[in-house]
Amino acid sequence: MSNLSNLKGFVSCALDCTRFRLVRDEADTENEDLAFKPEMAHQIFGESESIFGYRDLRVDVMASAGALDLFFDISYSKKVDELHAEGLKADDVEKALAAIVEDGCYYTSLDEFKRVLASKSDSFQPFGTKVDEFRYPAVGAGKGGESSQAEQRTFEVYVSSATDAEYMKFHSRLEMFSFWFIDGFSRVEIDPFWMFFTVYERYEADNNNEAAIEPRYATVGYLAAYKYYSYPNKVRPRISQILILPPFQKLGIATRLIEHTTYEYFSKLDNVADITFEEPIEAIQHIRSVIDARRCKMLPAFTKDKLLAGFSKEMLEQARKHHLINAKQCRVVYEILRLGASDLDNEEQYRAYRIEVKKRLNMNYSKHRRDLARAKKRGVDVTAALCGLPSVAERIESLNAEYKEVEEIYGLVLQKLLLTTP
């Protein structure tokens, strides 16, 4: 028993001992300031996100900034002795890492990785067709409404298809990061209906020669969209995955992809019904809601009088026609804008708004009760199902809590609208 208690020192938190670096040249391999940690590790090391069998474990993952060639370095001061651990074996860390590299191609020799880095860094080029270019900070975003060229960073977006074999090899290495930063992530299948909007930063390296400044590219992240069929002759692109690597976050890149790049791309196609999102995380839904609310606010169907009159078919039609917004998201936008249009000090107006939102929140519960009532009339025993439902009092309490949370979220969107609307 005492031996097992001593093994606690051989348990490491994967989130604490794992570090990533995106390296542009050999000097970056030694630059500790470039290191960043994962957001999650349960998809690699299990729900506990722990690694057993090592003391002072350190897992370093380096990727060349452009092509994303991978280097794994696993170091520790001591490894558990199986003879004194009652048969317990140390976790195979390299095997766990290799499992999320689809083509199995990675390096464990730093010298070899440096040679590959040197040979590819100046020749790597983006895959696919260029569809967007933007700068950060944007022109006029600096002090006094100006931002110098030296301060600006340039980003380019290229669209690729899953039918591009070379791109998919590259994308499999980019997906390696998704396991650490997208919860519930799974690799996409090779399917011609998948599209990828990949972002790269274009930068310059002078190679110690002022006369030969060559542009280079660093991979930033991607947005994956699947073109679903929409009856009778259209497609409905669904945004499935968005990953912006941590060194490039908080630069407005995800917002740019949602608000401009994909919207501009799909709006030019005649066969697109609308654009949907697959269970977006809270941060992405917030970005989406701000963008869509700002757009719909300018439509004739979303005037204050019409918002206070209630949700309408006119809103659905205009949101879809002008901004490719689907029905579910249009309803969310309506509720956000109606909250902004309502006088919360006017009890009648505020009460009408709360009832409107709560009706939507309660739809599934009410439908389930109606379905059970119909089944009971047909002679079906629904006693067990009814027992599983919350009481009316319990449902009212939970509904009030749901509404409060929704109003808080909508309030944050409205605050952002005030800050971003000219």
Side-chain angles (χ1 to χ4, degrees), residues 259-280:
E259 181 175 18
H260 182 82
T261 313
T262 53
Y263 174 74
E264 288 294 321
Y265 182 87
F266 289 121
S267 65
K268 293 175 183 176
L269 304 179
D270 294 332
N271 65 334
V272 173
D274 51 38
I275 301 172
T276 64
F277 283 66
E278 183 178 338
E279 298 180 3

Side-chain angles (χ1 to χ4, degrees), residues 45 54 72 74 91-100 106 108:
F45 297 109
Y54 309 89
F72 298 153
I74 302 160
D91 292 334
D92 192 333
V93 179
E94 184 177 333
K95 183 179 179 181
L97 295 175
I100 59 172
Y106 59 91
T108 55

Side-chain angles (χ1 to χ4, degrees), residues 7 12 92 121 148 192 202 209 217 224 255 279-280 291 305 324 331 403:
L7 294 178
S12 305
D92 192 333
S121 60
S148 71
R202 189 180 76 223
N209 183 350
Y217 289 90
T255 299
E279 298 180 3
I291 292 168
D305 289 344
L324 300 179
R331 172 71 194 205
Y403 170 81

